[in-house]
Amino acid sequence: MENFTYHNPTRIHFGRGQIARIAGEFPQGARVLLIAGGGSIKQNGVYAQVCEALRACTVVEFFGVEANPDYDTLMKAVALARAERVEWILAVGGGSVLDGAKFVAAAVPFKGEPWDILSKGARIESALPLGTVLTLPATGSESNGAAVISRRALKEKLAFLSGHIFPRFSVLDPETTFSLSPRQVANGVGDAFCHVIEQYLTYPVHAEVQDRFAEALLKILVEIGPKTLARPNDYDLRANLVWTATWALNTAIGQGVPQDWTSHAVGHELTALYGIDHARTLAIVLPSLMHVQRAQKREKLLQYAERVWGLREGEPEARIDAAIERTRAFYESIGIKTRLSDYPEVTPGTAAAVAARLRARGASGMGERGDITPEVVEKILTLAA
C-alpha cells in the first residue's frame, strides 16, 4: 500500500427531514448565496424546506446552473456573490450544481482570471465556505474537493481540485431524489460505478481494505441499480444508492492506491464535443479501455472478474473477456448505451479528433502507469465505435 494522509472535513446529515439541520450550520445573520439549477427544487418541496431552515440568514438566490455547469453562467453567480458580499454558499441540486458552486466559492476571492483555475491549474489560496443539499446521487461532489466545469463557448470541459472546496456540510435526504427521471437515476448509477472502477481497476498494491470496500460498492450498484429504477419511491433502495454514490468518490477508497481516470478524461472530451451526458460517455469508454489495457490491468481484471462477477472457472483470458462483457451488459441493463454508434450526434473521425485534442493539451501520460497516450485513446475509441 502506498503512503497517504487522509482527511475528509465534510459533515454529513443523512436521512429524512435532515434539511432542517441546515439551520445549525450557518452563523446567525450570515449572508448566503443559494445556488440551484432550473427550478425543480421548487416543485418537489426541497426549496421550501431550505427556505425554512435559512430563516435566520440573509439569502441571495442564483438559479440556472445547467447540467455540465457552464463557466459563463457561473461567472454571473461570481459577480452576484461579490456585489452582495456573501459569506457562505449553499448549493441545492445534483452534481452539476454542486460543482458549479465549488467553482463560485473558489472564484469569488480569487485575485486573477478565474478561467486560470481550470485552464492553468492556478493555485487556490482560499474559498468561501460551502454547504450542499444533494438531490441527485452520482458525482460524490457532496463530499470531495473536486469539480468539473464546462465552457461551451470554447468546447472545453476541465476539472480542478482543492482542499478549500470540500463542503463544510452536506445534507443527503433520499426522498429529495424521488422526483428524478429514470435517465437521471441511471446516469447516477453509471457515474458512481465508474468512479469506483477508476480507483480500483489498476494494479495490486496489497490494499485489502480499499479493494474489498470498492468491490462491495460495485456489487451494491449492480444489485440495486435496476431495482431503484423499477421502484423509484422505495426509500431503502434509494437511500443505499445515495450513500453508495457518496462513498464512490469521497476519497476514502482512493487512499494509498494507484488511480486511472482515463475514462473520465476521454469522456469529458466527448461531452465537450457533442453534449453527451457524462455518465454515458463513461459507458462508451470504459469497456473498450478495459480491453485495450487488459495486459496492464490483468491482475486486477481477474480479481474484478472473480470478486464482483463470480467468474472463477475457465482460462484467464476468457474470464477477463467475460468480465468486460458483464460490465457492458450492466450499463445496458440500466438503459445506458455503450457504443459511439448509439449516439447519432457523434460524427465520423471522433477517435482521431479526441486524440488530437488530448495531444494539444499535452495529455500524454494518462492512466495508473502513465502509459495511455493520445494514440492509445484513439485505439480505445475506435474499438468503442
Side-chain angles (χ1 to χ4, degrees):
M1 193 185 313
E2 299 171 356
N3 292 356
F4 63 89
T5 299
Y6 177 60
H7 173 63
N8 190 312
T10 304
R11 183 165 43 256
I12 300 291
H13 301 297
F14 188 98
R16 293 185 178 99
Q18 292 287 69
I19 291 176
R21 292 276 188 173
I22 293 173
E25 292 286 356
F26 295 107
Q28 188 81 8
R31 299 182 65 82
V32 179
L33 177 66
L34 189 158
I35 296 181
S40 61
I41 63 170
K42 291 186 176 180
Q43 279 75 57
N44 62 16
V46 172
Y47 177 75
Q49 294 180 66
V50 169
C51 288
E52 176 63 24
L54 292 175
R55 288 178 62 187
C57 299
T58 298
V59 180
V60 180
E61 297 181 358
F62 184 89
F63 279 76
V65 177
E66 55 275 272
N68 299 304
D70 191 78
Y71 175 83
D72 293 322
T73 299
L74 299 174
M75 286 305 296
K76 296 175 184 177
V78 171
L80 178 63
R82 288 172 173 170
E84 295 291 339
R85 304 184 311 281
V86 301
E87 302 162 308
W88 278 78
I89 292 177
L90 179 65
V92 184
S96 290
V97 171
L98 273 56
D99 279 13
K102 288 177 174 180
F103 175 77
V104 173
V108 168
F110 190 71
K111 301 301 182 184
E113 166 56 52
W115 179 240
D116 290 349
I117 294 172
L118 296 157
S119 63
K120 298 180 180 179
R123 183 178 176 82
I124 297 169
E125 301 290 348
S126 65
L128 292 180
L130 169 75
T132 83
V133 177
L134 182 72
T135 63
L136 197 165
T139 68
S141 193
E142 65 276 7
S143 190
N144 65 42
V148 183
I149 307 299
S150 296
R151 193 169 187 179
R152 288 167 176 78
L154 302 180
K155 289 193 172 181
E156 294 281 13
K157 183 176 181 180
L158 303 172
F160 75 103
L161 301 168
S162 172
H164 293 292
I165 61 170
F166 270 85
R168 302 288 183 89
F169 69 89
S170 287
V171 175
L172 282 60
D173 180 346
E175 290 186 339
T176 68
T177 74
F178 285 177
S179 60
L180 295 173
S181 70
R183 184 185 186 96
Q184 290 172 310
V185 175
N187 282 351
V189 173
D191 195 9
F193 188 90
C194 193
H195 288 159
V196 180
I197 289 287
E198 297 277 29
Q199 300 165 87
Y200 166 76
L201 199 65
T202 55
Y203 56 84
V205 291
H206 306 291
E208 292 300 329
V209 171
Q210 294 90 318
D211 278 4
R212 293 291 187 175
F213 206 152
E215 290 153 4
L217 295 173
L218 293 170
K219 293 177 76 170
I220 291 167
L221 290 167
V222 168
E223 179 182 347
I224 71 172
K227 290 180 180 178
T228 194
L229 282 165
R231 307 205 298 271
N233 293 328
D234 185 313
Y235 180 86
D236 290 325
L237 285 173
R238 194 57 61 89
N240 279 285
L241 174 57
V242 170
W243 196 221
T244 303
T246 296
W247 274 94
L249 200 57
N250 69 358
T251 76
I253 64 170
Q255 300 301 314
V257 299
Q259 301 183 31
D260 188 343
W261 298 105
T262 304
S263 293
H264 275 69
V266 177
H268 290 167
E269 299 297 334
L270 294 175
T271 297
L273 285 170
Y274 304 116
I276 302 171
D277 296 358
H278 171 62
R280 290 162 196 264
T281 68
L282 301 177
I284 292 168
V285 177
L286 179 58
S288 296
L289 182 146
M290 293 164 76
H291 181 80
V292 170
Q293 293 295 106
R294 63 191 295 146
Q296 294 87 337
K297 296 179 181 288
R298 178 182 172 84
E299 290 180 83
K300 288 303 280 285
L301 275 167
L302 289 169
Q303 181 177 311
Y304 170 68
E306 177 179 351
R307 294 185 182 177
V308 176
W309 298 111
L311 300 168
R312 299 177 178 84
E313 305 296 330
E315 293 299 315
E317 294 306 315
R319 279 182 275 143
I320 289 173
D321 286 337
I324 295 171
E325 286 310 306
R326 293 282 184 95
T327 304
R328 187 184 299 280
F330 166 66
Y331 275 106
E332 297 278 352
S333 76
I334 57 174
I336 298 181
K337 297 298 183 181
T338 60
R339 298 283 186 184
L340 283 169
S341 57
D342 293 319
Y343 298 84
E345 59 267 48
V346 174
T347 58
T350 291
V354 170
R357 286 168 64 92
L358 292 171
R359 196 176 296 114
R361 62 172 100 256
S364 60
M366 296 182 291
E368 66 272 16
R369 299 180 188 273
D371 60 351
I372 299 181
T373 63
E375 290 71 28
V376 175
V377 169
E378 188 167 354
K379 290 181 183 178
I380 291 167
L381 288 179
T382 298
L383 184 62

